[in-house]
Amino acid sequence: MSFVMSNGARLAYDEAGQAGQAGREAGQTGQAGEADGFPTVVLTHGGLGDRRMWDHQFRALARRGRVVRYDMRGLGESEDAEGEFSRSEDLLGLLDALDIEQAVLVGNSIGGAYSIEAALSAPERVRGLVLICSGLTEYDWPEEMTAEIGHLVEEAVPAERMARYWQRTAEYVDPADVRAIAEVNVRYMVAGPKRGLDDLVPEVRELALEMCQGNFQREWSVPRYQERFQQPPIIDRLRELAMPTLIVNGRYDPSPIQEIADLLAVRIPRARRIDLDAGHLPSIERPEETTDALLEFVAGIS
């Protein structure tokens, strides 16, 4: 694990790919870290996880070329989030700091949305996109989804206490509350509304809970910050994405997120879609299938 400064923040990241390093040392031409035509890949996790969610894919990609995974600002082992900032600018800053001229951007959940923002801001930097159970920034979620989640949250932690956590006015963050909210999110998102926590194999369930707990603990323990998103909203600009795009949908994901997969598949000109028997984190629930699809896609655009 290393650290790099990006857009004014210190981000934790891992980099691997001996073939790419050997090519750079030998003075080969082409993209920094590109081995035998296999593009550099950058992995962005979602809001429920951290860079550990890419363990299987990271190892497999490293055998083909250069791969980077990182923790977003305020999550994992990266610096706390503060003030106003753009996570897609953090992603592009990471490319700059690591001398990556072009890459395939892979993003899960809201990490997919930030990858889209980066591709719209700097399309010349993006060889391809892989959007896994992707969200969209500034998306209007259906009222029935927000009501259902709100009900589950209130059952887990009283509304008054939750409000203090989100407003950062709580004097103490109770680990039991953090665990309860993590369980709500993992049950609803990672397992999916039609399954339960016991439908996840123990190692998947425990990793998801551990990552989610860590994220909420940090979120509620630091001052509030402000994310800056692209304008106009990216949902109105999807047809501008000219690069090859793979959309990975989880069949057990909440239906509004699957509807985003439908929308992406229709509006992104060069998109193709696959569906996996997984919830919101296919990379850990269906690691081999996710990795195989990713390797095939990246090899096909090299």
Side-chain angles (χ1 to χ4, degrees):
M1 188 261 298
S2 302
F3 293 95
V4 66
M5 292 301 298
S6 171
N7 193 28
R10 187 170 181 258
L11 303 182
Y13 76 99
D14 301 310
E15 178 179 3
Q18 295 303 313
Q21 179 63 34
R24 291 198 298 278
E25 291 173 354
Q28 294 176 1
T29 59
Q31 299 304 325
E34 190 167 306
D36 300 324
F38 197 86
T40 297
V41 177
V42 178
L43 304 161
T44 303
H45 63 82
L48 296 183
D50 55 46
R51 73 185 192 278
R52 289 175 293 172
M53 66 172 287
W54 301 116
D55 280 351
H56 193 279
Q57 295 74 40
F58 184 77
R59 290 193 299 268
L61 286 162
R63 291 192 285 270
R64 296 293 304 273
R66 188 183 185 193
V67 57
V68 174
R69 62 177 178 177
Y70 71 103
D71 288 330
M72 290 192 290
R73 184 192 306 225
L75 300 172
E77 296 178 294
S78 287
E79 184 177 61
D80 286 343
E82 59 181 23
E84 181 179 320
F85 63 95
S86 161
R87 293 195 190 275
S88 62
E89 290 175 9
D90 285 356
L91 173 53
L92 291 173
L94 178 80
L95 301 187
D96 291 339
L98 298 180
D99 192 28
I100 300 172
E101 185 177 343
Q102 284 189 325
V104 175
L105 302 184
V106 180
N108 166 252
S109 189
I110 197 63
Y114 300 137
S115 298
I116 292 172
E117 282 200 351
L120 289 169
S121 293
E124 73 284 357
R125 309 286 301 274
V126 182
R127 295 279 295 275
L129 281 171
V130 181
L131 306 173
I132 302 176
C133 300
S134 184
L136 290 168
T137 51
E138 299 200 302
Y139 184 72
D140 291 328
W141 295 103
E143 288 185 12
E144 57 269 26
M145 180 182 181
T146 56
E148 185 174 9
I149 294 174
H151 176 70
L152 293 172
V153 167
E154 191 165 354
E155 282 187 338
V157 178
E160 182 179 334
R161 200 152 71 230
M162 276 299 303
R164 290 199 297 271
Y165 289 144
W166 285 118
Q167 294 164 8
R168 312 300 200 270
T169 58
E171 295 182 359
Y172 169 71
V173 177
D174 189 337
D177 288 344
V178 174
R179 175 78 180 190
I181 295 302
E183 288 182 352
V184 166
N185 279 269
V186 172
R187 176 160 59 91
Y188 186 81
M189 301 290 291
V190 182
K194 296 181 180 179
R195 298 193 296 173
L197 287 174
D198 289 341
D199 290 306
L200 300 172
V201 298
E203 56 267 29
V204 169
R205 181 175 63 245
E206 290 311 310
L207 176 58
L209 285 169
E210 183 179 335
M211 292 190 297
C212 198
Q213 283 179 252
N215 290 355
F216 278 110
Q217 180 69 45
R218 288 195 66 183
E219 180 84 10
W220 295 342
S221 301
V222 299
R224 298 184 73 172
Y225 55 85
Q226 179 66 48
E227 287 194 52
R228 185 173 62 253
F229 305 119
Q230 282 192 7
Q231 296 298 327
I234 59 177
I235 191 173
D236 299 325
R237 301 182 59 198
L238 296 174
R239 291 186 174 87
E240 298 176 29
L241 296 169
M243 63 287 297
T245 302
L246 176 64
I247 296 157
V248 180
N249 177 60
R251 293 189 180 97
Y252 301 129
D253 223 351
S255 57
I257 297 176
Q258 297 196 57
E259 289 166 7
I260 289 178
D262 297 339
L263 184 150
L264 296 173
V266 169
R267 294 194 185 181
I268 298 176
R270 300 176 65 186
R272 68 180 180 89
R273 168 180 169 165
I274 65 169
D275 295 85
L276 300 179
D277 290 329
H280 201 55
L281 299 181
S283 66
I284 63 173
E285 188 178 2
R286 291 287 182 267
E288 293 85 2
E289 294 170 68
T290 303
T291 297
D292 288 347
L294 182 53
L295 287 170
E296 180 185 4
F297 174 77
V298 176
I301 61 174
S302 61

